[in-house]
Amino acid sequence: MVIRTDALTKDFTAGFWRPRPYRALDALTFDVKPGEIFGLLGPNGAGKSTTLKLLLQLLFPSSGRAEILGRPAGDVDARRRLGYLPEHPYFYEYLTAEELLEYFGRLFGLDPAARRARASALLDEVGIGAERRLPLRKFSKGMLQRVGLAQAMLNEPELLILDEPMSGLDPIGRRDVRTLIMRLHGEGRTILFSSHILSDAETLCSRVAILAKGRLAAAGPMRELLSEHVRGWEILVRGLDDAGRGVLAAQGLSAVPVPDGVWQILLPATARPEPVIASLASAGASLVSAEPQLETLEDMFVRRIASAAGGRIGEAN
């Protein structure tokens, strides 16, 4: 495994006059496989950033353990092989984007020519043009996010850990970052990113973990999680005449015409499609397809979070 956690737990002390323990992460166990895009999802305050900081040993666990690239979290050799984008990247504001990347290139031991070439190529890749020669204090939040992505890729890492990588980006920027993540995935890199933007996770991730109140609410392959609840069935047929529509009406169903002479029949989740298909066939209609209508990631996310919150949504730790 590229990442493995075992009962990872983090407690803080909250309050000044009467300090009390506050558990931000509670016995979290999950793993990330080589070459996959893994999404760490959850509402604000669920423990996503805490998890990533524990993996990087920017924080230390109260109990449990974590491994990165087969080594204990914090191992120097493992750190050389990963790139990290924090949720709120902050850089020395009087440097230019070029100077910043060249500085990080020196930390990685790159020679001057390699630093300049790598910095230029990465800034092109994340969409920073002539602005690369301006001081970073003049950059918008979205532009700083792009520079942060470039620095995370500077050492050509095997593993990328991205905390809310779409934060502050406009729709075009989000599309560009999604394309970049898919390209990096195509090169065989492993990517772990946290997000509360579910459409991005649904587009990119092969597996996800959903956190709620510091606990694991669900984890697994996206397709399996979404197939747990079938919302209904869509049946498409051709050759549906008045007799066929009468058969449907007798069952309390109706058909809607869609392009190319096809008719759509929607069934509730409580109904089975086989009897309907058989009755339509007897009425002379021909089956085009019968597909289950699965819940969306948003549906599943809300259901899992509500379950973890005891039926109440909106409470964040």
Side-chain angles (χ1 to χ4, degrees):
M1 294 294 174
V2 175
I3 293 175
R4 187 193 303 272
T5 72
D6 181 17
L8 199 60
T9 300
K10 179 61 180 178
D11 295 323
F12 293 98
T13 300
F16 180 74
W17 294 110
R18 300 180 62 184
R20 62 189 186 279
Y22 163 69
R23 178 151 292 182
L25 203 65
D26 191 1
L28 177 64
T29 299
F30 74 98
D31 57 63
V32 179
K33 300 175 182 177
E36 74 174 345
I37 302 176
F38 190 97
L40 197 60
L41 311 179
N44 293 331
K48 303 186 298 296
S49 292
T50 299
T51 300
L52 300 187
K53 290 175 181 177
L54 289 169
L55 290 175
L56 294 159
Q57 285 216 327
L58 299 175
L59 295 174
F60 295 91
S62 303
S63 62
R65 59 193 301 268
E67 293 181 358
I68 292 183
L69 296 167
R71 309 294 294 271
D75 180 85
V76 174
D77 289 334
R79 286 188 177 191
R80 290 193 183 101
R81 298 157 58 194
L82 64 85
Y84 171 57
L85 172 68
E87 181 179 6
H88 303 292
Y90 180 81
F91 306 120
Y92 187 66
E93 62 181 9
Y94 291 96
L95 291 178
T96 68
E98 288 179 327
E99 290 168 341
L100 179 80
L101 293 190
E102 289 197 35
Y103 167 73
F104 279 109
R106 291 181 65 184
L107 295 179
F108 281 115
L110 300 179
D111 63 68
R115 290 199 301 266
R116 286 191 294 271
R118 185 79 179 133
S120 178
L122 286 171
L123 291 171
D124 286 341
E125 198 165 3
V126 298
I128 300 294
E131 318 89 59
R132 66 186 62 188
R133 298 179 182 86
L134 296 176
L136 292 174
R137 70 178 184 275
K138 296 186 176 181
F139 278 31
S140 67
K141 186 179 188 299
M143 291 171 67
L144 287 174
Q145 194 79 356
R146 291 169 183 259
V147 174
L149 282 166
Q151 69 81 27
M153 298 186 294
L154 190 64
N155 59 326
E156 301 190 48
E158 299 174 38
L159 166 66
L160 271 167
I161 297 178
L162 310 175
D163 195 356
E164 300 282 358
M166 314 296 184
S167 176
L169 297 177
D170 58 23
I172 294 175
R174 285 176 53 199
R175 182 201 62 192
D176 291 344
V177 171
R178 286 197 299 265
T179 301
L180 176 60
I181 288 175
M182 291 303 297
R183 185 185 65 74
L184 293 168
H185 174 250
E187 294 174 357
R189 304 184 200 277
T190 305
I191 300 165
L192 167 64
F193 77 89
S194 71
S195 183
H196 60 267
I197 302 175
L198 301 184
S199 59
D200 293 328
E202 195 163 15
T203 301
L204 294 169
C205 296
S206 52
R207 291 197 303 143
V208 298
I210 298 175
L211 300 185
K213 293 184 170 293
R215 296 180 179 179
L216 187 66
M222 185 78 74
R223 177 172 289 276
E224 289 183 13
L225 291 174
L226 297 183
S227 65
E228 289 180 357
H229 283 249
V230 176
R231 296 189 299 171
W233 290 82
E234 178 193 60
I235 299 174
L236 299 179
V237 297
R238 280 196 176 92
L240 187 66
D241 54 17
D242 291 340
R245 289 192 289 276
V247 168
L248 289 174
Q251 302 176 60
L253 301 172
S254 61
V256 176
V258 295
D260 301 324
V262 175
W263 292 78
Q264 178 194 59
I265 303 104
L266 297 178
L267 305 184
T270 54
R272 292 300 305 166
E274 293 87 350
V276 177
I277 293 170
S279 63
L280 289 172
S282 65
S286 59
L287 179 67
V288 175
S289 66
E291 297 285 343
Q293 301 296 290
L294 305 179
E295 67 178 351
T296 65
L297 178 59
E298 182 176 1
D299 294 332
M300 188 268 289
F301 180 87
V302 171
R303 176 169 55 81
R304 293 283 189 167
I305 296 299
S307 175
R312 296 185 304 275
I313 302 175
E315 294 183 26
N317 22 328

